[in-house]
């Protein structure tokens, strides 16, 4: 009779993570927080295999090298950026996780199941941004703004939303619903939103990944930093109108006694803000000391505005623009609730100076 073989406890098994949907460096922060949690709770080896990275509006905003750089530095972690489909499915002797950004990719999931139908992965979804907290309609509207008509974005939004509901085993979000909201840290707001929607708290495990490299500064610079979004590149705003709007914002900021600086969006074309003070950055705004250390951050409906207010308690003001009013009308209930809780201050360019003075 052969000797019985020792079976390692579950947390000693190798974890194989298949990663997809990364289109920005901010996505990698969310991914890194989940991977770090695996390293904390498991004792075996961890292999992360990226199926590739993407971009936005035709511009490459994240690379394979970024995947390696943003994930934790740990001897048990092996990061592979080869999207070879033949390596999609690991052996049955490991724990398999499909880690998706925003929603599970239908094609990658189907390919995984086809490779190994009897050993399907556990599907974990991390945030892609404010869009994660929307509905199928808000997802559709976002894709419509990026081009491609209306029929295909509708079909795609319904399919992605349905896949998210059916395939997701675990959500790993930055923002958590809380039935009894309480102030839990910088930027948190007690109580429900002004519209009576759900209240939120920050997931400390995800938040710590953002804060790890960028602690909140002891003092703030006399600067208002405008977080740009590629409205012109998307065809939402006319270039001349956008420039006129930024000039009005700049005048209001200076009237309030602060310096005005624009941080371009990664998808903005080069030279977009010629003539304006510009602060270039390659990483997430939420991990940029120049952004976090500003007296106030400005922008339109933006994921970064919400994150900066929630993570660091940074003063944030949403600037209303007549041509962008429909974007607020198209927000989903959870998106609106998040903005009302963490970025309740809004102002037009004409009223911005008074809004800034009122912050202190």
């Amino acid at each position: 009779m052969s000797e019985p073989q020792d079976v390692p406890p579950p947390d000693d098994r190798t974890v194989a993570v298949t990663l997809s949907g990364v289109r920005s460096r901010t996505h990698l922060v969310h991914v890194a927080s989940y991977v770090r949690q695996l390293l904390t709770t498991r004792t075996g080896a961890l292999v992360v295999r990226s199926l590739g990275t993407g971009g936005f509006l035709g511009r490459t905003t994240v690379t394979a090298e970024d995947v390696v750089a943003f994930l934790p530095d740990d001897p048990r972690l092996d990061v592979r950026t080869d999207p070879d489909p033949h390596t999609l499915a690991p052996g049955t002797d490991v724990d398999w996780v499909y880690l998706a950004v925003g929603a599970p990719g239908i094609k990658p999931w189907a390919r995984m199941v086809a490779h190994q139908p009897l050993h399907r992965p556990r599907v974990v979804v991390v945030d892609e941004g404010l869009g994660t907290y929307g509905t199928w309609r808000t997802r559709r509207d976002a894709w419509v703004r990026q081009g491609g008509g209306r029929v295909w974005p509708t079909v795609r939004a319904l399919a992605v939303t349905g896949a998210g509901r059916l395939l997701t085993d675990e959500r790993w979000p930055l923002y958590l619903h809380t039935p009894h909201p309480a102030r839990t840290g910088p930027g948190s707001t007690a109580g429900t939103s002004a519209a009576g929607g759900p209240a939120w708290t920050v997931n400390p495990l995800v938040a710590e990944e953002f804060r790890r490299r960028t602690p909140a500064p002891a003092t703030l610079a006399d600067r208002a930093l405008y977080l740009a979004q590629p409205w012109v590149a998307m065809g939402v705003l006319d270039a001349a109108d956008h420039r006129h709007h930024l000039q009005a914002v700049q005048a209001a900021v200076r009237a309030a006694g602060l310096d005005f600086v624009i941080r371009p969006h990664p998808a903005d074309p080069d030279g977009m803000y010629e003539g304006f003070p510009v602060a270039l950055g390659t990483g997430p705004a939420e991990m940029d000391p120049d952004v976090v250390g500003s007296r106030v951050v400005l922008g339109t409906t933006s994921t970064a505005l919400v994150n900066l207010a929630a993570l660091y308690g940074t003063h944030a003001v949403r600037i209303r623009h007549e041509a962008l009013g429909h974007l607020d009308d198209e927000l989903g209930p959870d998106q609106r609730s998040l903005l009302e809780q963490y970025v309740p201050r809004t102002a037009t360019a004409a009223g911005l100076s008074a809004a800034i003075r009122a912050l202190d």
Side-chain angles (χ1 to χ4, degrees), residues 101-120:
V101 176
I106 299 173
K107 289 182 179 179
W109 184 85
R111 287 162 57 199
M112 292 178 211
V113 172
H115 274 278
Q116 210 165 87
L118 299 181
H119 181 45
R120 298 186 179 187

Side-chain angles (χ1 to χ4, degrees), residues 151-288:
V151 174
W152 172 239
T154 299
V155 173
R156 183 182 176 192
L158 287 169
V160 169
T161 302
R165 291 174 179 171
L166 293 173
L167 302 181
T168 302
D169 296 303
E170 179 184 358
R171 277 275 291 119
W172 186 257
L174 174 56
Y175 299 103
L176 303 167
H177 284 284
T178 174
H180 301 291
R183 189 170 183 83
T184 57
S188 297
T189 302
T192 57
S193 70
W200 305 87
T201 188
V202 173
N203 182 341
L205 297 176
V206 183
E208 176 57 26
E209 198 65 40
F210 281 95
R211 297 171 180 151
R212 186 175 298 275
R213 295 184 237 179
T214 315
T219 59
L220 301 178
D222 289 331
R223 173 180 57 233
L225 195 142
Y226 185 95
L227 298 172
Q229 291 181 269
W231 300 128
V232 175
M234 294 169 64
V236 176
L237 280 180
D238 173 76
D241 178 44
H242 188 40
R243 192 171 187 83
H244 178 74
H245 172 71
L246 290 176
Q247 289 169 343
V249 172
Q250 181 181 49
V253 167
R254 289 177 173 173
L258 300 181
D259 295 328
F260 176 74
V261 182
I262 296 176
R263 192 182 198 270
H265 188 278
D268 277 326
D270 296 336
M272 179 73 196
Y273 304 105
E274 185 176 354
F276 289 101
V278 172
L280 298 176
T282 57
E286 301 92 324
M287 298 172 72
D288 186 336

Side-chain angles (χ1 to χ4, degrees), residues 286-351:
E286 301 92 324
M287 298 172 72
D288 186 336
D290 289 338
V291 178
V292 176
S294 298
R295 182 73 59 181
V296 59
V297 289
L298 311 172
T300 52
T301 302
S302 162
T303 299
L305 278 183
V306 177
N307 289 349
L308 286 162
L311 294 172
Y312 305 103
T314 305
H315 286 316
V317 178
R318 281 187 290 156
I319 302 177
R320 298 195 300 273
H321 189 299
E322 184 178 349
L324 299 175
H326 65 285
L327 298 181
D328 285 341
D329 296 337
E330 294 171 357
L331 290 171
D334 284 351
Q335 293 172 320
R336 185 171 290 107
S337 174
L338 278 167
L339 285 162
E340 289 171 345
Q341 176 167 328
Y342 291 111
V343 194
R345 304 178 186 91
T346 63
T348 61

